[in-house]
């Protein structure tokens, strides 16, 4: 029995992982507590990987979502008018006044950021990087014609086609040659007012603008375009060359304007994505440029950086570990690998602390806006530590993070739509309003809610009585709750990364070819698993009211 500090619950964990017979409708009973029905099966991560990746197609801007790709989520193209978008004229929160610019950009396309229809370079940057990093870690896990998107069947892995949809937008946000700020990237593009809720994205809008360039956005462009240049080299050499040119120009521009920090335009209809510290973005961009070009100047830059080898769990404003991960994964840099293993150890220390009954990777003060993505970004550290050490405890821990997200948590709820007996149904999303009778479909499978937020700020969360609740319980599945229940590209990206990782790590065991199904899979499976371990899937979130916790477990057995 454990006390769980972040929720105030007292928790029993029941490990029923020895029971591996596939089936539906299982329940677990202890004393007078009975669990929700759950399923034991083999396909959790293989379907979650694809559903989590399809999130991005279903949030494309500037293109109609059509059959046979979109199903219930068919809708006309949104914001086609971003093809000709001009600069916002006004004064920012720092008192700086921004005049008109004498160019327009074709910044159509890209993904909508989240529940809103804004498009933000900093957040696009980390989301694209995360998808491309999953690919770079293991290209063989991502094939063409797997995601049912318009590009499926073109001979290029679907994950690259999807990432390119956003990469093209990031490239389009760069200030053109001949301008004073040439090479810098505009921070964001959004409307002057928040759109109503729910509402379809309009095709035309004359109230959307480019917001001023920033150093952070420019370095996000430099980093991802550098990553693009090396990945597309053998896929589409012209595109790779375009990416490299943009990356190097962005790098130079950021160095010429190292402290253009994005200020706010608080009364308008977009998120701020302000970031007062950009040394981490400089480090990340230098690493990516070095890995792509081999130019030692970039190496000199990043090794001198205060962020060198930093492996703090990443989020949109803190991107240092993206550089460290690329160094470790792409550059096979052993110091970077060691630093990530150390970060994984720190996550494990939180998870397996006595006061952490739900094995959450977050400590009480980590439950902030988008906490589920923080959890999954920590799982990326754990997964990479398994790659670098082959120590199964890291893979176990990464799996436990997924268990937390999928239902073994203080709100007895799967934060991923369609996965779990009680799962996300009412995300803060302008199209997925879950009012089919009014033309607003429910969320598609595989969308991740931001999750518990110890400082909820939206009216729906306040009405739901979340203020003052323990942080791990400060959550409501309500379309109005943008501070606890929004969805976002930078949150679904780590979900896809981790789902793809776990699918990959467990595939040799779960595939019927290697493990012929019999009545008793434990005895029938031959111990030939990757890295010498056997894994069995037991799915389903089994939680009874915060007292009794049984889990979605992946069972490890020594070969
Ligand atoms: O993810 C962002 C979170 O870290 C911030 O605390 C929050 C408030 O500024 O904004 C979040 O990002 C939102 C963005 O500003 C606008 N689009 C939706 C994003 C997710 O809620």
């Amino acid at each position: 029995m454990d006390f769980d500090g972040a929720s105030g619950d007292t928790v029993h964990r029941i490990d029923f992982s020895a029971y591996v017979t596939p089936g539906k409708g299982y329940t677990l009973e202890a004393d007078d507590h009975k669990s929700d029905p759950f399923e034991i099966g083999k396909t959790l991560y293989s379907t979650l990987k694809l559903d989590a990746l399809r999130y991005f197609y279903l949030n494309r801007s500037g293109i109609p979502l059509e059959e046979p790709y979109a199903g219930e989520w068919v809708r006309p193209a949104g914001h086609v008018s971003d093809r000709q978008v001009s600069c916002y004229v006004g004064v920012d929160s720092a008192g700086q006044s921004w005049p008109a610019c004498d160019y327009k950009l074709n910044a159509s396309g890209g993904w909508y950021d989240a529940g809103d229809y804004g498009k933000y370079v900093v957040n696009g940057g980390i989301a694209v990087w995360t998808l491309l990093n999953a690919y770079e870690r293991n290209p063989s896990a991502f094939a063409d014609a797997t995601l049912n998107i318009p590009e499926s069947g073109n001979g290029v892995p679907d994950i690259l086609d999807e990432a390119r949809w956003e990469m093209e937008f990031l490239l389009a946000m760069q200030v053109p040659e001949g301008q004073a700020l040439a090479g810098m990237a505009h921070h964001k593009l959004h409307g002057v007012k928040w759109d109503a809720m729910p509402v379809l994205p309009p095709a035309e809008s004359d109230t959307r603008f480019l917001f001023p360039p920033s150093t952070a956005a420019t370095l996000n462009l430099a980093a991802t375009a550098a990553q693009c240049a090396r990945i597309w080299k053998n896929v589409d050499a012209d595109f790779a060359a375009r990416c490299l040119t943009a990356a190097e120009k962005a790098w130079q521009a950021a160095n010429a304007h190292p402290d253009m920090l994005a200020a706010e335009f608080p009364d308008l209809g977009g998120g701020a994505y302000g970031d007062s510290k950009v040394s981490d973005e400089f480090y990340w961009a230098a690493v990516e440029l070095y890995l792509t070009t081999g130019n030692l100047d970039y190496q000199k830059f990043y090794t001198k950086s205060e962020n060198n080898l930093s492996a703090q769990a990443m989020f949109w404003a803190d991107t240092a570990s993206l550089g460290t991960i690329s160094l470790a994964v792409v550059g096979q840099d052993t110091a970077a690998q060691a630093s990530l293993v150390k970060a994984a150890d720190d996550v494990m220390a939180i998870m397996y602390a006595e006061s952490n009954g739900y094995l959450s990777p977050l400590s009480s003060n980590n439950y902030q806006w988008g906490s589920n993505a923080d959890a999954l970004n920590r799982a990326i550290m754990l997964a990479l530590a398994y790659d670098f050490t082959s120590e199964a405890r890291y893979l176990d821990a990464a799996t436990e993070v997924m268990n937390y997200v999928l239902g073994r948590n203080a709100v007895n709820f799967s934060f991923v739509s369609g996965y779990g007996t009680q799962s996300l149904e009412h995300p803060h999303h302008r199209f997925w309003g879950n009012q089919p009778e009014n033309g607003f479909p429910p969320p598609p499978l595989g969308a991740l809610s931001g999750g518990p937020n110890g400082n909820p700020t939206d009216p729906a969360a306040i009405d739901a009585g979340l203020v003052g609740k323990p942080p791990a319980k400060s959550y409501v599945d309500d379309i109005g709750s943008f501070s606890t229940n929004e969805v976002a590209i930078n949150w679904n990206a780590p979900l896809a990364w981790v789902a793809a990782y776990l699918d990959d790590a467990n595939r040799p065991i779960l595939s019927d070819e290697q493990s012929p199904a019999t009545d008793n899979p434990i005895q029938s499976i031959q111990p030939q698993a990757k890295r010498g371990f056997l894994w069995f899937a037991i799915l389903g979130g089994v939680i009874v009211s915060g007292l009794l916790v049984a889990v979605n477990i992946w069972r490890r057995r020594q070969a």
Side-chain angles (χ1 to χ4, degrees):
M1 190 151 67
D2 285 327
F3 177 69
D4 184 74
S7 65
D9 289 344
T10 301
V11 169
H12 288 267
R13 282 196 300 274
I14 296 178
D15 181 346
F16 59 102
S17 52
Y19 192 86
V20 296
T21 310
K24 291 189 177 174
Y26 285 111
T27 53
L28 197 67
E29 286 183 51
D31 287 342
D32 54 348
H33 297 288
K34 187 170 174 186
S35 76
D36 284 336
F38 63 94
E39 179 179 347
I40 297 178
K42 289 181 173 184
T43 57
L44 172 62
Y45 296 131
S46 55
T47 59
L48 181 54
K49 161 183 160 180
L50 300 178
D51 288 331
L53 285 170
R54 271 181 56 75
Y55 173 97
F56 297 91
Y57 167 68
L58 294 170
N59 282 287
R60 283 190 190 183
S61 177
I63 187 176
L65 304 188
E66 292 174 322
E67 291 294 29
Y69 318 112
E72 240 181 303
W73 296 275
V74 164
R75 63 159 169 74
H79 300 102
V80 180
S81 50
D82 287 351
R83 278 196 190 134
Q84 281 251 327
V85 60
S86 57
C87 296
Y88 182 73
V89 178
V91 180
D92 68 24
S93 56
Q96 185 163 356
S97 120
W98 294 91
C101 43
D102 59 4
Y103 56 87
K104 288 187 174 181
L105 292 184
N106 175 353
S108 76
W111 304 312
Y112 292 124
D113 187 57
D116 62 325
Y117 289 133
K119 302 193 294 193
Y120 309 84
V121 170
V122 287
N123 212 38
I126 188 172
V128 163
W129 178 91
T130 302
L131 297 189
L132 292 182
N133 178 261
Y135 174 81
E136 283 197 292
R137 183 194 153 266
N138 183 7
S140 71
F142 301 96
D144 183 24
T146 49
L147 296 181
N148 187 25
I149 57 177
E151 298 82 3
S152 292
N154 66 355
V156 175
D158 283 350
I159 194 172
L160 296 189
D161 289 322
E162 194 54 61
R164 181 170 177 165
W165 185 260
E166 179 75 359
M167 192 69 237
E168 295 274 11
F169 161 72
L170 300 179
L171 293 167
M173 291 291 276
Q174 194 163 32
V175 177
E177 284 303 294
Q179 300 294 330
L181 293 174
M184 296 292 285
H186 285 273
H187 196 66
K188 52 182 186 164
L189 190 180
H190 61 69
V192 294
K193 282 206 171 95
W194 291 105
D195 297 288
M197 185 109 200
V199 68
L200 277 167
E204 301 290 326
S205 164
D206 54 8
T207 52
R208 273 162 83 84
F209 295 98
L210 298 167
F211 287 84
S214 71
T215 310
T218 305
L219 291 166
N220 269 263
L221 172 62
T224 50
Q227 198 186 15
C228 160
R230 63 174 181 264
I231 292 173
W232 267 270
K233 202 169 163 208
N234 299 320
V235 175
D236 179 342
D238 291 345
F239 183 55
R242 189 148 71 83
C243 281
L244 186 56
T245 305
E248 294 197 301
K249 267 191 201 147
W251 174 257
Q252 284 151 15
N255 277 278
H257 305 281
D259 45 22
M260 278 188 77
L261 304 179
E264 293 198 34
F265 293 86
D267 298 327
L268 305 185
Y273 281 120
D275 185 357
S276 56
K277 179 176 151 281
V278 292
S279 65
D280 50 313
E281 282 84 8
F282 268 110
Y283 165 71
W284 171 36
V287 167
E288 299 297 352
L289 279 156
Y290 169 70
L291 291 171
T292 300
T293 63
N295 180 333
L296 296 176
D297 289 344
Y298 295 123
Q299 187 182 49
K300 223 177 277 163
F301 185 100
Y302 76 71
T303 48
K304 281 200 195 129
S305 163
E306 62 181 357
N307 297 281
N308 190 27
L309 304 181
S310 165
Q312 280 276 97
M314 56 284 209
F315 80 114
W316 60 265
D318 190 349
T319 56
S321 55
L322 307 186
T324 302
I325 293 173
S326 283
L327 271 183
V329 171
V330 182
Q332 300 286 307
D333 180 305
T334 50
Q337 294 178 351
S339 175
L340 290 163
V341 171
K342 163 80 178 53
D345 289 338
D346 293 346
V347 176
M348 300 243 294
I350 294 174
M351 288 178 72
Y352 298 107
E354 258 184 33
S355 59
N356 193 340
Y358 294 98
L359 305 184
S360 160
L362 306 173
S363 46
S364 294
N365 60 357
N366 297 140
Y367 288 87
Q368 297 185 9
W369 196 312
S371 65
N372 282 332
D374 189 356
L376 287 163
N377 279 325
R378 290 167 195 239
I380 291 179
M381 301 297 178
L382 296 165
L384 290 172
Y386 180 51
D387 277 354
F388 303 142
T389 62
S390 300
E391 285 179 36
R393 62 200 178 97
Y394 293 116
L395 182 50
D396 286 349
T399 307
E400 296 291 9
V401 176
M402 193 62 105
N403 294 336
Y404 165 81
V405 167
L406 292 178
R408 194 204 50 218
N409 53 50
V411 286
N412 184 21
F413 190 77
S414 166
F415 296 112
V416 178
S417 50
Y419 284 79
T421 310
Q422 301 180 53
S423 64
L424 172 66
E425 285 180 3
H426 301 286
H428 182 79
H429 190 279
R430 280 181 170 62
F431 180 44
W432 305 339
N434 207 346
Q435 304 170 9
E437 65 286 6
N438 298 326
F440 296 105
L445 298 175
L448 174 76
S449 161
N453 179 352
N455 298 301
T457 52
D458 60 79
I462 293 165
D463 286 353
L466 298 192
V467 175
K469 277 207 171 181
K473 287 193 166 170
S474 186
Y475 171 76
V476 62
D477 184 16
D478 184 314
I479 189 172
S481 185
F482 52 83
S483 68
T484 77
N485 204 37
E486 192 156 358
V487 292
I489 53 175
N490 62 317
W491 302 342
N492 243 69
L495 176 66
W497 195 110
V498 178
Y501 185 98
L502 293 177
D503 178 46
D504 191 28
N506 294 286
R507 183 165 292 282
I509 307 303
L510 296 173
S511 95
D512 284 338
E513 276 165 36
Q514 299 205 18
S515 55
T518 70
D519 288 340
N520 187 340
I522 288 189
Q523 285 160 23
S524 71
I525 294 178
Q526 296 307 306
Q528 294 169 348
K530 186 176 176 183
R531 300 185 179 107
F533 295 102
L534 285 181
W535 291 80
F536 299 95
I538 298 191
L539 322 185
V542 187
I543 314 281
V544 182
S545 70
L547 263 185
L548 164 68
V549 180
V551 298
N552 306 326
I553 293 171
W554 289 79
R555 170 70 166 161
R556 177 174 61 83
R557 303 180 72 228
Q558 195 99 29

